Amino acid sequence: MSRVVDVLVVGAGPAGLAAAARLAAAGAGRVEVLERERAAGGVPRHCGHPGFGADHRGRPLDGPGYARRALRAALRSGAAVRTGVSATGWAGPLSLDVTAPTGLERIRAKAVVLATGARERPRSARLVPGTRPAGVLTTGELQQTVGLSGSGGEAVRGRLGRRAVVVGGEPVARHAVRTLRAAGVETAAVVTELPCAAHGFGAVPVLTRTAVVELLGRGRLTGVAVRGRDGVTSVLRCDTVVFTGDWIPDHELARARGLALAPGTRGPVTDGAYRTAEPGVFAVGNLLRGVEPAQVAAAEGRAVADAVLDLLAGRPRPTAGVPVLTAGPLRWVTPGLLGPTAVPLLVRPDRRLVRPLLTVTQDGSPLRRERLRGDPVPWRSVRLGPEWTSGVDPAGGPVVVGAEEYAS
Amino acid sequence: MSVTRTGPLPSGPEAEYDVVVVGAGVVGCAIARALARHPLRVALVEAASDVGDGTSKANTAILHTGFDAAPGTLEARLVREGHRLLGAFAGEAGIPVEPLGALLVAWDEQQRAALPRLAEKAERNGHRTTRLLSADELRLREPHLGPGALAALAVPGESVICPWTTTLAYATQAVRSGVDLHLDCRVEKVRTGDPWHRLVTRRGVLRTRHLVNACGLHADAFDALLDRRDFTVTPRRGQLLVFDKFARDLVRHILLPVPGPLGKGVLVSPTVYGNVMLGPTAEDLDDKTATGTTAEGLAGLREQGGRIVPALLDEEVTAVYAGLRAATGQEDYRCAAHPALRYVTVGGIRSTGLSASLALAEHVLGLLADCGLELGPERPLAPVRMPNLGEAFPRPYRDAELIAREPEFGMIVCHCERVTRGEIRAAYASDIPPAGPDGLRRRTRARGGRCQGHFCGAEIRALSEEYGQGAR
């Protein structure tokens, strides 16, 4: 079955739903969101903790509450949100092949917004050696396992275990520890290669500058071997290990469309309005760079609407911008392309930087230099306002974002 | 015909067999299937909870032609015949095979000088279609090869295959044709006798007139149960890396190393699932359970793989695993008939068991006849058609008619590998249902993709529990 819509959004997480809501409200025509999971809302659905802003009465929202609100907003503005529907590949420049229980479809759109999100790298992608026992998972799988089995009780303990080690020191590790605790699973230790974790973990010991070097056990995990800062290897006994963080964009459709990936983020390169190199194809949210909070992803979803509406109205596409690169101890920057319009930048440091001097330069001449007041950390991005990118010459060379630390 | 996993074994005449095959790897399953063509009572007995749970599940997944076997050996003959037989059977049974052909790539002068000798050896093994390629011809065929490739020998016919489906197809056809399959049934003692041998297993006693040892890594230990000590199996570990499907376009053929004095080197090969595999290492060990990977092993593989196809290393690794080959220190199989014991040992099937399996089975039938087994007339086997796991063939998620009939085949559960709810249900409803998540992965690919369960693990587990209960 072949159909035509105005805008096809792939992924009903915070970014995709926000894009659909705004576009449908702005009269973009038929706006359809495809979600391969059985429910819309994306990752927040599994995050039963606050940190997702507040509702209209000022009450804090947890992940599921946030997801429900985002879905409601999209539906109210007239977007169609279809769940259990998988976009499996491209059938043309703006046409996707889709598998659903109702059959196969080929959907052509005037604009396609990719909002396919990110995932945590599993054990294998991290090249952790050892055996392949049961009891090895990511935070995402942990949260869904608890979500499907309910907290506590024998069902969840049968599916999880009794004693876990959590790998990673970023904020998501805290959610893993909380989820385990709620399910009645003790956390033996949090293990991180970082020199310090993002925060405390209550009574759970945190082993910093420590790497997991081997998984042990046949059938079921019996422990993990770790090597600490002193170079000594020891074994932590556990029957569950949760690998947290280390996000990678879920960029299958983006790559299948031939979109170039930015080396730092492994997400598709876009300009400041979230246009990819392919006319009519846009990319937003955590597909762009691993993980940012839901509100950041949603803001990008809202922001992409302007460029999509320009396209639908037949307004000419601005000329491609200049590439944006990083130098020094910075892992990545988005967007990957800058045009004549000044836009904010997101920058992620490689490690904790002490009051760094950030610089934006083009062709060797500084556009802006400013010392940051705080110390940026590798698990949080620094947002540089549009003033940092004013004055970029769209005909010039690459824009380079750098960071320097001075001994005080 | 029956498949058992738990509880006491049948007793009385139900527990009496003409032949018991011990070991349900790819070789044991092929032997049971060959025996099922004859009016015999046959049991296939396995210590693990699934068929193909040892060496047969963790190998390089290549259907070899036998071009490089030592000419005149049993292995050379059986791999050559097995390649032909399995190629034909795969078509009938729906086992995914892609005849990509192999390229033996020479990276130095010594290796280049070895290529004509390898071509000659192939000819002596009956393979006359190999061809020497210049560096330019090679580059045209494999544009992503690293710098420094000097020449290659092209070997048509070398194929990639699904080893899991192959083993399962043999076992399924055997079971459907009347063979009893007893899983989770380790044989602990053998009391030889006439006319019955008594096999004492964890789950009871079986009686059999004839006995086949297809215990792979443990073939020497099983021989010892009958006081035979003809060889020792030294496990040779092979660690392998499986790269993301995005790497598939980087490699068009099976890229084999040129064997030389510095060892065998590693291969880079597409898989039928659409990934690229790199490996194996070759480490002689003592421990027959050492199927873990090591940091050194993985680092070494990445270094070698990066020289062969540099762009490979930019892609994510989907899976890491290790398997053990049953090496015996002799460059041939160790197949022997012991007529006085009405016993056949199939040992030392080092790394070509998958390729040779169907020919090995025919060979074993001959050895059993030497031990006095009367096979009787032949009858056709019950047909099998396995669920397709190969990317080169239609998968259920793209099958409009199937989805219209059964909407569950339109519900993708494992998104990375595009496995549907319908396939998971079908696996549990099959003749030999999976015993757990690993068995389900080998039957459907569920959870075998780049996310390794991040998105789908919880749901697949819940479905396994739901369908698994129905299956038992």
Side-chain angles (χ1 to χ4, degrees):
Chain A
M1 191 178 81
S2 281
R3 289 193 302 116
V4 180
V5 300
D6 293 288
V7 183
L8 194 57
V9 179
V10 186
L17 288 174
R22 173 94 203 281
L23 282 163
R30 165 103 188 161
V31 178
E32 186 166 312
V33 188
L34 305 182
E35 170 54 54
R36 63 189 192 179
E37 300 285 337
R38 283 192 287 176
V43 171
R45 282 187 304 136
H46 310 298
C47 302
H49 52 80
F52 290 85
D55 68 9
H56 61 281
R57 288 188 199 145
R59 289 174 304 197
L61 279 171
D62 65 0
Y66 179 89
R68 280 193 299 274
R69 192 182 63 167
L71 174 61
R72 248 192 337 262
L75 294 174
R76 267 201 205 127
S77 57
V81 180
R82 302 173 61 201
T83 57
V85 175
S86 302
T88 58
W90 297 86
L94 292 171
S95 175
L96 283 163
D97 278 329
V98 165
T99 291
T102 46
L104 304 182
E105 295 170 42
R106 182 160 287 183
I107 307 177
R108 204 172 75 235
K110 294 176 185 143
V112 175
V113 178
L114 299 177
T116 48
R119 65 187 146 84
E120 294 166 290
R121 277 194 178 83
R123 171 263 177 114
S124 51
R126 302 179 196 215
L127 296 175
V128 176
T131 55
R132 296 174 83 192
V136 183
L137 60 174
T138 59
T139 318
E141 186 178 352
L142 168 70
Q143 289 176 329
Q144 294 187 58
T145 301
V146 173
L148 280 179
S149 342
S151 293
E154 276 314 302
V156 73
R157 264 194 293 279
R159 287 170 180 182
L160 290 173
R162 297 186 176 273
R163 189 178 153 90
V165 164
V166 171
V167 183
E170 306 198 350
V172 60
R174 178 153 66 179
H175 302 321
V177 172
R178 276 193 189 147
T179 307
L180 287 164
R181 189 184 302 136
V185 183
E186 172 201 3
T187 300
V190 171
V191 176
T192 174
E193 294 184 46
L194 293 168
C196 68
H199 41 64
F201 289 86
V204 177
V206 181
L207 308 179
T208 56
R209 290 187 209 276
T210 300
V212 175
V213 294
E214 191 179 354
L215 302 192
L216 308 167
R218 271 165 224 300
R220 183 78 198 186
L221 185 77
T222 56
V224 297
V226 297
R227 186 162 54 230
R229 63 182 82 187
D230 50 7
V232 175
T233 300
S234 55
V235 172
L236 302 172
R237 278 194 315 103
C238 58
D239 55 14
T240 299
V241 59
V242 184
F243 287 94
T244 71
D246 199 0
W247 298 86
I248 178 164
D250 219 28
H251 51 220
E252 181 171 5
L253 278 180
R255 288 190 73 177
R257 188 65 186 79
L259 299 177
L261 300 186
T265 61
R266 304 293 286 161
V269 177
T270 71
D271 67 10
Y274 306 100
R275 298 179 194 93
T276 71
E278 293 296 337
V281 180
F282 301 80
V284 287
N286 284 331
L287 163 64
L288 296 177
R289 83 265 105 172
V291 85
E292 294 291 329
Q295 293 95 323
V296 174
E300 291 169 349
R302 284 191 295 277
V304 75
D306 293 337
V308 174
L309 292 167
D310 281 349
L311 176 99
L312 295 178
R315 280 187 280 274
R317 177 186 166 92
T319 48
V322 294
V324 189
L325 312 170
T326 58
L330 300 177
R331 197 185 304 164
W332 52 253
V333 58
T334 61
L337 290 170
L338 276 178
T341 318
V343 294
L345 298 174
L346 274 186
V347 179
R348 190 62 79 98
D350 250 343
R351 54 181 165 83
R352 178 187 285 272
L353 303 177
V354 179
R355 296 204 56 220
L357 179 70
L358 257 70
T359 60
V360 176
T361 56
Q362 186 180 27
D363 296 320
S365 33
L367 296 176
R368 195 179 175 97
R369 293 160 63 83
E370 198 174 305
R371 188 174 293 281
L372 292 189
R373 268 185 303 222
D375 296 348
V377 287
W379 51 85
R380 203 172 301 132
S381 297
V382 178
R383 183 178 183 276
L384 305 177
E387 66 278 9
W388 284 77
T389 56
S390 61
V392 165
D393 176 4
V399 171
V400 179
V401 184
E404 297 161 34
E405 281 178 293
Y406 288 107
S408 51
Chain B
M1 81 174 221
S2 67
V3 179
T4 71
R5 256 192 193 112
T6 52
L9 290 172
S11 55
E14 286 286 288
E16 286 175 1
Y17 294 99
D18 296 305
V19 187
V20 168
V21 180
V22 183
V26 69
V27 172
C29 290
I31 295 167
R33 171 183 171 276
L35 287 164
R37 293 198 310 256
H38 301 276
L40 299 167
R41 276 192 50 77
V42 178
L44 177 59
V45 174
E46 166 59 46
S49 59
D50 201 357
V51 300
D53 199 40
T55 303
S56 302
K57 76 177 177 194
N59 49 57
T60 52
I62 294 174
L63 175 53
H64 287 292
T65 58
F67 77 95
D68 61 344
T73 57
L74 180 63
E75 182 179 18
R77 175 167 73 79
L78 295 183
V79 173
R80 186 171 65 236
E81 286 175 21
H83 176 267
R84 182 178 55 79
L85 291 171
L86 181 46
F89 177 66
E92 269 168 50
I95 300 166
V97 177
E98 290 183 55
L100 301 173
L103 298 175
L104 278 91
V105 182
W107 298 91
D108 59 35
E109 282 306 328
Q110 202 176 8
Q111 290 181 353
R112 173 150 67 177
L115 294 181
R117 286 200 300 277
L118 283 162
E120 240 168 68
K121 188 179 187 184
E123 193 142 338
R124 273 186 289 151
N125 280 322
H127 300 280
R128 295 181 180 83
T129 52
T130 62
R131 203 164 81 76
L132 288 167
L133 302 181
S134 69
D136 290 344
E137 287 174 296
L138 173 58
R139 181 101 10 223
L140 273 177
R141 292 200 190 189
E142 289 290 351
H144 298 282
L145 272 188
L150 300 178
L153 181 68
V155 187
E158 292 278 305
S159 308
V160 295
I161 188 167
C162 176
W164 308 324
T165 306
T166 305
T167 307
L168 194 63
Y170 295 166
T172 301
Q173 197 165 32
V175 165
R176 282 192 193 165
S177 305
V179 171
D180 288 346
L181 171 62
H182 300 302
L183 296 162
D184 261 327
C185 189
R186 181 184 298 281
V187 177
E188 285 162 344
K189 275 184 202 143
V190 178
R191 300 218 167 88
T192 54
D194 196 2
W196 300 106
H197 299 314
R198 291 163 54 85
L199 306 187
V200 181
T201 80
R202 282 177 42 190
R203 292 171 42 209
V205 177
L206 296 174
R207 304 209 299 167
T208 185
R209 293 173 197 276
H210 290 81
L211 185 59
V212 178
N213 169 1
C215 298
L217 283 172
H218 306 282
D220 53 349
F222 193 86
D223 255 10
L225 295 181
L226 286 98
D227 277 327
R228 303 290 318 190
R229 286 174 177 58
D230 300 331
F231 59 87
T232 305
V233 178
T234 309
R236 183 172 297 156
R237 181 165 62 192
Q239 304 185 36
L240 291 126
L241 288 169
V242 178
F243 286 89
D244 195 292
K245 292 181 166 49
F246 295 121
R248 178 63 184 85
D249 290 341
L250 298 172
V251 184
R252 299 176 184 174
H253 303 79
I254 302 165
L255 301 178
L256 296 176
V258 178
L262 293 175
K264 274 194 83 172
V266 300
L267 62 87
V268 174
S269 170
T271 72
V272 291
Y273 324 110
N275 299 80
V276 172
M277 166 183 284
L278 165 66
T281 58
E283 309 151 65
D284 287 326
L285 308 172
D286 298 324
D287 182 357
K288 288 179 180 174
T289 62
T291 53
T293 50
T294 63
E296 306 74 53
L298 300 182
L301 286 180
R302 284 177 69 80
E303 195 205 319
Q304 294 183 76
R307 283 202 295 269
I308 301 168
V309 181
L312 206 50
L313 300 194
D314 295 337
E315 301 299 342
E316 297 283 310
V317 168
T318 293
V320 171
Y321 66 92
L324 300 172
R325 289 95 107 190
T328 61
Q330 182 181 302
E331 296 300 289
D332 201 357
Y333 297 163
R334 313 287 287 246
C335 297
H338 309 288
L341 287 168
R342 305 183 311 283
Y343 173 55
V344 172
T345 300
V346 190
I349 315 298
R350 303 164 297 144
S351 61
T352 47
L354 173 62
S355 305
S357 50
L358 287 180
L360 253 168
E362 299 306 318
H363 181 67
V364 169
L365 254 51
L367 296 178
L368 280 167
D370 294 346
C371 293
L373 177 70
E374 286 188 21
L375 290 168
E378 267 199 46
R379 55 185 183 183
L381 291 165
V384 284
R385 189 75 198 170
M386 303 302 290
N388 168 46
L389 304 191
E391 284 299 290
F393 306 91
R395 304 259 324 273
Y397 80 91
R398 295 298 302 154
D399 187 337
E401 278 177 30
L402 176 63
I403 297 169
R405 240 179 8 250
E406 294 185 64
E408 280 192 323
F409 286 94
M411 298 165 75
I412 297 179
V413 180
C414 164
H415 303 290
C416 304
E417 298 296 306
R418 310 253 161 86
V419 184
T420 63
R421 201 181 162 107
E423 289 164 275
I424 293 172
R425 193 198 54 199
Y428 279 100
S430 68
D431 296 81
I432 308 171
D438 292 341
L440 181 68
R441 173 167 47 79
R442 295 195 291 272
R443 283 160 177 80
T444 62
R445 287 170 46 181
R447 242 204 113 133
R450 59 174 69 95
C451 93
Q452 292 282 301
H454 175 82
F455 293 116
C456 63
E459 187 172 359
I460 288 176
R461 187 152 183 161
L463 287 176
S464 297
E465 287 170 12
E466 183 189 332
Y467 295 137
Q469 261 159 19
R472 270 171 217 130

